[in-house]
Amino acid sequence: MEWETVIGLEIHAQLATRSKIFSGAATVYGAEANVQACAVDLGLPGVLPVLNAKVVEMAIRFGLAVNAEIPSRSVFARKNYFYPDLPKGYQISQYEHPIVSKGRIDIKLEDGSTKTIGITRAHLEEDAGKSVHEGFGNFTGIDLNRAGTPLIEIVSEPDMRSAKEAVAYMKKIHSIVRYLEICDGNMQEGSFRCDANVSIRPKGQKEFGTRSELKNLNSFKFVELAINHEVERQIDILESGGKVIQETRLYDPNKNETRSMRSKEEANDYRYFPDPDLLPVEIDKETIERIRSTLPELPDAKKQRFMDEYRLSEYDSEILTANKDMAAYFEKAIQSADGEAKLCANWIMGDLSAVLNRENRDIMESPVTPEMLGGLILRIKDNTISSKIAKEIFEAMWDGEGDAGTIIEKKGLRQVTDAGAIEKLVDEVIVESPAQVEQYQNSTPEKQGKLIGYFVGQIMKKSQGKANPEQVNELLINKLKTD
Ligand code: ADP
Ligand code: MG
């Protein structure tokens, strides 16, 4: 039996406001427990929520960026449940009338094709507090700093058909909220997190299978692992004659498995009703148009521009524009590199990304500035240094030894392009390697192509990597010719 996977994601993104959605308390991450929860966040008697206008504006920005409808009226509702980190006994959310409805985005699949994923809705809500289980013995601590932090919950259509597609979709939404500057996207701090709804069905069947909802997925890697694991689990159940039950499952990254949290029967009845403390939000056309006019260039448009303006491949453009900071770094580097777009792209996607990953740093904190990288690329282009030496210089720039010019002079790394000097080295090596010369001269041209590497290697060694490789090659071939 061939199975098809069906996935829908619910993404929670924390909106990057300074104060909370319904109170003036600060939202900064990492403060001492319970110093950032005011009377409104605690739900003390007699207090009233006041909607933060910034939050509404950010949600509209998101809606416009994903080609969604912005209804003229949206309504806050109370979602009632009991939990220690929810002092009011209800969460203020939106239910029947969300602020954003019916959007869509395009994602790029591995085979290079494009797929459109529907966005059912996006609604505003407040975050809950946090239970803290470490350091309290048999007790649980409650930290209410996060209570009342604004969230936008983005609900997708069940349009994804593999874990890879789900990750591509999540990355695209991540990229968009960062471009819009409405969310810092920090997954370790929980500012951007996701629940995945997963079901399977026999290939060709129209009806969806029963889904489970996976919670606690706070990295792209975990989303992929958890979905793949869940698909295997559901296939095992169905193939051994069982039935998947609708339930919420918690992903455990340490064990790479999911376990049941609650089934549909145990699910809460949230008794949603419109919050009587808050007026409906009414948004007129002018407001929408005003906000639309402030939207930045978004990833898809930037990608197309990189292809047109810099003649980069779609692949390179996609990678460079996925992260807005990387795109900005690239455009600055080009200015210092006399328009050498392809070289800039290669260095950013190659050596720079590799060290950033290795040292777990953000491109904005790179000790090699775009101007410095541009300067290095200019020196490659004007033949002052070889690409190989450039890697050494890049490492030195990263270590704070100065810009490319300074390092080249200090370490004497200038490439040798003086024909006379190179010829001298070539002659030396030929004299020192009679056996190799004989072998070369008695070989077929194809074989010679391989043997030449030995001589090049010896010469580069003698020149400490500084001889211009093209010149070395050309001279060698001439000198080794027998006719
Ligand atoms: P709930 O409010 O109970 O979470 P929703 O109907 O709002 O349920 O759906 C939540 C998410 O589940 C959406 O992203 C939707 O696309 C997805 N979904 C719904 N049915 C399925 C299914 N059979 N398989 C996979 N995902 C599903
Ligand atoms: Mg849900």
Side-chain angles (χ1 to χ4, degrees), residues 154-340:
I154 304 153
V155 182
S156 85
E157 289 289 300
D159 284 347
M160 288 147 281
R161 295 292 173 267
S162 68
K164 285 245 169 0
E165 282 185 23
V167 170
Y169 166 80
M170 192 177 172
K171 284 190 171 164
K172 191 64 175 273
I173 296 283
H174 187 257
S175 170
I176 291 171
V177 297
R178 301 256 292 118
Y179 265 72
L180 295 170
E181 298 182 342
I182 61 172
C183 172
D184 67 20
N186 188 324
M187 297 176 77
Q188 268 135 38
E189 293 179 1
S191 311
F192 189 88
R193 47 195 204 259
C194 138
D195 302 336
N197 295 269
V198 180
S199 66
I200 59 169
R201 61 181 171 188
K203 216 170 177 118
Q205 178 182 304
K206 261 191 106 163
E207 301 77 45
F208 289 144
T210 305
R211 71 182 148 119
S212 58
E213 182 173 348
L214 310 178
K215 295 261 178 200
N216 196 28
L217 307 174
N218 61 0
S219 79
F220 296 122
K221 183 101 216 128
F222 292 160
V223 170
E224 184 170 347
L225 287 171
I227 291 173
N228 283 332
H229 178 274
E230 179 60 17
V231 169
E232 289 305 314
R233 193 188 70 89
Q234 292 186 10
I235 290 176
D236 283 349
I237 292 175
L238 293 181
E239 290 193 341
S240 57
K243 263 191 164 157
V244 174
I245 55 164
Q246 189 175 332
E247 62 181 348
T248 305
R249 299 181 69 85
L250 191 70
Y251 177 66
D252 180 343
N254 297 320
K255 297 188 184 142
N256 186 28
E257 61 181 36
T258 59
R259 60 172 185 276
S260 183
M261 262 172 84
R262 57 177 180 267
S263 70
K264 195 184 174 188
E265 285 71 42
E266 304 160 68
N268 297 296
D269 170 4
Y270 293 121
R271 295 170 292 123
Y272 279 100
F273 62 88
D275 192 314
D277 289 343
L278 287 156
L279 290 168
V281 179
E282 294 192 344
I283 297 154
D284 55 30
K285 290 233 152 48
E286 292 76 63
T287 306
I288 294 177
E289 290 319 310
R290 178 182 59 74
I291 294 172
R292 194 194 302 280
S293 71
T294 67
L295 290 184
E297 181 181 38
L298 289 163
D300 286 349
K302 205 184 274 292
K303 176 174 119 186
Q304 190 58 51
R305 182 168 64 78
F306 277 23
M307 291 164 67
D308 297 342
E309 191 174 328
Y310 304 122
R311 301 273 146 220
L312 291 178
S313 68
E314 181 172 12
Y315 177 83
D316 288 356
S317 307
E318 174 90 23
I319 293 180
L320 289 171
T321 57
N323 174 335
K324 95 172 183 337
D325 295 333
M326 188 183 276
Y329 185 107
F330 168 76
E331 293 206 276
K332 274 205 200 120
I334 287 193
Q335 282 175 18
S336 309
D338 196 23
E340 284 295 313

Side-chain angles (χ1 to χ4, degrees), residues 19-25 38 40-41 48-52 55 76-77 88 91-94 124-127 148-150 275 278:
S19 59
K20 293 187 176 173
I21 182 168
F22 300 118
S23 83
C38 69
V40 173
D41 308 322
L48 285 172
V50 177
L51 179 59
N52 183 338
V55 164
F76 284 101
K88 295 196 297 294
Q91 176 192 26
I92 306 177
S93 181
Q94 294 185 312
L124 287 168
E125 61 186 27
E126 57 178 343
D127 210 344
T149 298
D275 192 314
L278 287 156

Side-chain angles (χ1 to χ4, degrees), residues 76-122:
F76 284 101
R78 290 188 181 178
K79 178 178 180 179
N80 300 278
Y81 64 92
F82 176 79
Y83 205 73
D85 65 16
L86 188 75
K88 295 196 297 294
Y90 61 86
Q91 176 192 26
I92 306 177
S93 181
Q94 294 185 312
Y95 188 53
E96 284 169 303
H97 304 285
I99 189 152
V100 169
S101 66
K102 284 204 211 101
R104 74 199 122 75
I105 59 166
D106 286 346
I107 60 168
K108 198 95 203 139
L109 303 186
E110 279 189 325
D111 66 2
S113 64
T114 299
K115 177 169 178 176
T116 302
I117 306 292
I119 291 170
T120 317
R121 55 186 274 151

